[in-house]
Amino acid sequence: MDVERQTLEVDIACVGFGPATGGFLTTLSRALENEDGTGALESRVMPGMPLQVVCYERAEDIAFGVSGAVTRGRGIRRSFPELDPTEIPMAQRVTGEKVLYLLDPIGASRRTRGVQWLDRTLGIVGSARRDDAIELPWIPGFLRKHDGFLFSLGQFNQWVGARLTGEGRVQIWPGMPVAEALVEDDRVVGVRLLDQGTDRAGNPDAGYMPGMDVRADLTVVADGPVGPVGRQLDERFGVPEGHERDDWAVGMKMVVDLPEDSGLEPGTVLHTLGYPEPEIFGFLYVHPDRVASLGIFVPSWLDSPVRCSYRYLQHWMQHPRLWPHLKGSAMRSWGAKSIQEAGRRGEPILAGDGWARIGEGSGSTNVLTGSGVDEAWTTGALLAEGVIRLLRERRELDAKNLDEAYVRPRRESWVEREGRIAEHARDGFQRGFLPGLVGMGLSGLTGGRLHLKGDGRRSHERVPTLESWCDGRISAQEVQRLRVESAAKGVALHDAIMDRCGWPPIEPDGKLFVSHQDALLLGGKVQAPPGYADHVVFTYPHLCEHCENKLCIEICSGQAITPGENGVPLFDREKCVHCGACLWSCTQTVEGELGRKNLAFRTGAGGLHTVEN
């Protein structure tokens, strides 16, 4: 249906506000004004006025990023040479760092013979008890953050955004989802905002307001690893040969008040691996005032048909090496997000006529060092430096000039150099936990010259049937009974399977251990404003009817996707935290459309409402 839309013309439009856009706007805004207060760069769309720069963010506030971060902060410090971390709420210099290999204290973890051998060997060498952990005596240089600082991404975004809005040179509009890029003759000419006043299917309803078309000379896309606009550009313009995004993880975290006797000092950084399942990595960062960020990463190479982040997080917190520090803690906030684990191997086309990509969605995350915020910030700053030069020279913002001014300097930067080393660092995990560790070690110690290859299959192709996953623990008949019972109750299957596999029940305490739904109310504060279409859609229901694994239900971070009639899942956007894990976990592909999943993850409004994450 053709509708009349309002049009706004600007010089630069940005999609998404995070570290990358923060770096871009911080660098750009400093060039927009002369020392005497006059405009340094004149607007093309408003002659005589300063450059018109607008950023649109889906979430209700620019501070709603979900991450606890530890970084060396090289790019951030370059932008703020005199930065004192104490200026940023919850920020703290790193004072101590440990890597812990967690053994299995209850015997429910699925550990291969190789992992069992590793457990025994490390236990003997480290003199560890069966239920304890081994602290690595040496942290590889590529993992160390000893010269950096830790912070809350939400608080950092808010700090950066407050500086930008206070200066008044750029506009930042939260609560304004971008539906798509406007493309004319293979040139991106701006963006279209999401329609408001629609029903769940996107049809006009009471108060219908078509999304505005914002036309711009340059569209900066920084909508993250599962961002709809970034994926739209990939589908339209393709990706470089040999690049693919098939390794993912969902990171789930809490911010907690530590007990007075926790024994953890501000600036402490703990990295863990080995538990609850060997493939799951964990982290704990201690902020000032006895506040800590903690969480786990559940990766796509955990080839389980019932992987569940929330249940695993609760077991991780109760590990005997961590629990003495956490016992008596209380949850302050909670959240989850997807992480693009392919890193540079998943890098898309970085620039074209009228557009450029920055941040995690541009493949900037370093999967060897486990660092992404500073890399994202640096890509934004590099783009801004190139755009400033092109504007001063009055050159067009086309593919050729953006390649020279942005892509080439990025290729010469430390982000590229270190990204090359890390490019295939995690490919070995496609073959298992131990090959993954070996592959990371080879990449890190040889500067990326050696690594282990993956197994060649896409992540959804590696997921076994539930019956084969449970073989030796639960009979096929019992699996089918649990499947039918869970579907009848309208709940995911993972709790029933984990209970039967020996995982102990979680005892609620009303503070740290609460139900998944209470976490949404107490720690996530999910918002879902009315009048928008559903952003999770099952395109061809008949494919869902024949899907047995239904990983979209099992991995959903907010229990927003639940069993429905005839096997077609139901979606409740009032519980969705926009983590995007359902997108890459979908095992059903659409025939004739290479790489397209049956689950469509579109632009949506609302999501988590917490500034501390």
Side-chain angles (χ1 to χ4, degrees):
M1 179 180 66
D2 292 330
V3 297
E4 184 177 349
R5 298 179 184 272
Q6 293 182 335
T7 300
L8 173 68
E9 290 200 15
V10 300
D11 296 291
I12 298 176
C14 302
V15 182
F17 185 87
T21 311
F24 175 77
L25 294 177
T26 295
T27 305
L28 180 66
S29 66
R30 292 171 179 174
L32 296 184
E33 192 174 279
N34 296 315
E35 291 185 2
D36 62 1
T38 59
L41 293 173
E42 184 180 3
S43 170
R44 183 194 66 80
V45 299
M46 298 180 66
M49 296 291 290
L51 205 69
Q52 301 296 295
V53 183
V54 182
C55 173
Y56 296 104
E57 162 59 34
R58 171 194 59 77
E60 298 299 311
D61 193 296
I62 58 175
F64 295 164
V66 179
S67 179
V70 60
T71 178
R72 295 173 185 169
R74 288 169 288 177
I76 295 171
R77 284 186 168 119
R78 183 170 178 262
S79 297
F80 303 105
E82 306 300 324
L83 176 65
D84 179 359
T86 61
E87 297 177 11
I88 307 170
M90 296 178 65
Q92 169 71 44
R93 294 188 184 279
V94 174
T95 59
E97 191 171 10
K98 294 180 180 181
V99 177
L100 302 176
Y101 178 79
L102 304 180
L103 299 175
D104 178 9
I106 58 177
S109 178
R110 298 182 66 91
R111 304 175 100 76
T112 64
R113 291 182 178 178
V115 176
Q116 292 173 4
W117 171 85
L118 180 65
D119 290 352
R120 289 192 297 270
T121 303
L122 291 178
I124 294 172
V125 173
S127 300
R129 302 186 307 274
R130 177 181 177 275
D131 62 355
D132 208 343
I134 294 93
E135 178 182 339
L136 271 60
W138 169 72
I139 302 177
F142 57 82
L143 281 180
R144 287 199 300 268
K145 307 293 191 304
H146 64 281
D147 56 347
F149 56 96
L150 54 92
F151 56 86
S152 150
L153 181 58
Q155 294 282 17
F156 177 72
N157 284 346
Q158 188 174 64
W159 180 78
V160 172
R163 295 173 69 98
L164 289 168
T165 53
E167 292 166 353
R169 302 183 191 121
V170 299
Q171 299 182 53
I172 304 175
W173 290 92
M176 299 290 284
V178 173
E180 60 181 327
L182 298 174
V183 184
E184 297 176 359
D185 298 325
D186 285 340
R187 182 182 185 90
V188 174
V189 297
V191 298
R192 174 169 293 169
L193 303 184
L194 191 63
D195 291 352
Q196 300 180 41
T198 71
D199 61 17
R200 293 185 57 183
N203 301 310
D205 205 348
Y208 175 63
M209 181 183 297
M212 181 188 299
D213 283 350
V214 182
R215 300 184 68 88
D217 292 335
L218 176 66
T219 299
V220 178
V221 180
D223 58 351
V226 294
V229 178
R231 288 187 285 112
Q232 175 197 357
L233 297 182
D234 291 344
E235 293 172 5
R236 177 64 182 258
F237 300 111
V239 295
E241 185 177 356
H243 287 213
E244 61 179 4
R245 301 181 175 191
D246 202 46
D247 285 338
W248 299 85
V250 58
M252 182 169 285
K253 65 164 285 190
M254 285 185 183
V255 178
V256 303
D257 283 319
L258 294 171
E260 292 185 6
D261 61 349
S262 76
L264 295 174
E265 296 295 327
T268 298
V269 172
L270 300 181
H271 310 280
T272 77
L273 66 159
Y275 183 81
E277 302 289 2
E279 297 88 349
I280 293 177
F281 290 74
F283 66 90
L284 192 156
Y285 309 144
V286 184
H287 305 284
D289 304 318
R290 287 193 293 107
V291 175
S293 294
L294 52 87
I296 59 172
F297 301 101
V298 178
S300 57
W301 56 73
L302 173 59
D303 295 333
S304 164
V306 287
R307 53 193 181 213
C308 169
S309 306
Y310 193 72
R311 177 79 180 260
Y312 278 134
L313 174 61
Q314 293 176 313
H315 288 297
W316 177 84
M317 289 189 292
Q318 294 183 83
H319 189 276
R321 178 55 71 93
L322 303 174
W323 186 234
H325 301 297
L326 298 176
K327 186 177 181 180
S329 297
M331 179 177 63
R332 293 166 61 110
S333 62
W334 164 89
K337 75 175 291 290
S338 281
I339 301 159
Q340 215 287 93
E341 291 280 358
R344 195 194 177 285
R345 183 167 55 81
E347 180 186 277
I349 297 173
L350 294 177
D353 290 338
W355 61 274
R357 302 279 296 274
I358 57 176
E360 187 177 2
S362 74
S364 62
T365 300
N366 190 305
V367 297
L368 181 61
T369 65
S371 178
V373 172
D374 199 39
E375 286 79 358
W377 179 279
T378 302
T379 63
L382 288 170
L383 174 61
E385 291 168 359
V387 168
I388 291 167
R389 181 158 65 88
L390 293 178
L391 292 174
R392 286 174 175 169
E393 296 173 0
R394 300 184 181 278
R395 295 166 63 188
E396 188 175 358
L397 299 172
D398 59 14
K400 179 181 178 182
N401 290 337
L402 287 169
D403 184 77
E404 174 195 331
Y406 164 53
V407 179
R408 188 178 301 172
R410 176 164 166 170
R411 295 283 179 248
E412 297 169 353
S413 71
W414 65 268
V415 174
E416 173 76 10
R417 183 171 60 255
E418 296 181 7
R420 286 279 186 183
I421 294 173
E423 189 167 6
H424 297 285
R426 296 203 176 181
D427 290 8
F429 281 107
Q430 297 175 9
R431 296 181 177 273
F433 174 65
L434 289 182
L437 292 183
V438 172
M440 282 188 66
L442 283 174
S443 294
L445 297 175
T446 67
R449 289 183 290 275
L450 296 177
H451 65 273
L452 292 186
K453 293 183 179 180
D455 71 357
R457 292 178 296 167
R458 296 185 179 276
S459 60
H460 69 272
E461 297 172 336
R462 298 197 308 268
V463 180
T465 65
L466 185 57
E467 285 76 9
S468 62
W469 172 260
C470 295
D471 188 33
R473 294 194 176 193
I474 312 175
S475 69
Q477 293 80 7
E478 178 76 355
V479 167
Q480 181 59 21
R481 183 183 69 80
L482 294 174
R483 182 185 280 125
V484 171
E485 286 183 358
S486 297
K489 295 176 182 176
V491 298
L493 185 57
H494 50 251
D495 279 333
I497 294 295
M498 291 181 71
D499 289 346
R500 287 285 286 105
C501 286
W503 292 97
I506 302 297
E507 299 295 335
D509 63 7
K511 297 190 334 180
L512 186 64
F513 298 111
V514 299
S515 73
H516 205 154
Q517 291 304 296
D518 283 341
L520 286 171
L521 295 172
L522 301 175
K525 303 178 182 67
V526 175
Q527 292 183 339
Y532 288 97
D534 282 351
H535 53 279
V536 172
V537 177
F538 304 95
T539 310
Y540 299 106
H542 71 275
L543 294 179
C544 297
E545 293 176 7
H546 299 288
C547 175
E548 292 189 353
N549 282 332
K550 291 185 172 42
L551 266 177
C552 61
I553 295 175
E554 303 303 325
I555 204 167
C556 180
S557 294
Q559 293 184 323
I561 303 177
T562 54
E565 291 185 7
N566 301 319
V568 181
L570 300 174
F571 173 65
D572 182 351
R573 65 189 187 90
E574 293 188 0
K575 297 178 180 179
C576 180
V577 301
H578 293 256
C579 74
C582 56
L583 173 65
W584 50 265
S585 293
C586 177
T587 60
Q588 301 299 305
T589 56
V590 178
E591 186 176 356
E593 299 185 39
L594 184 62
R596 184 185 290 272
K597 300 293 187 73
N598 186 46
L599 187 149
F601 191 80
R602 301 169 179 169
T603 301
L608 277 176
H609 181 113
T610 170
V611 116
E612 291 186 332
N613 274 324

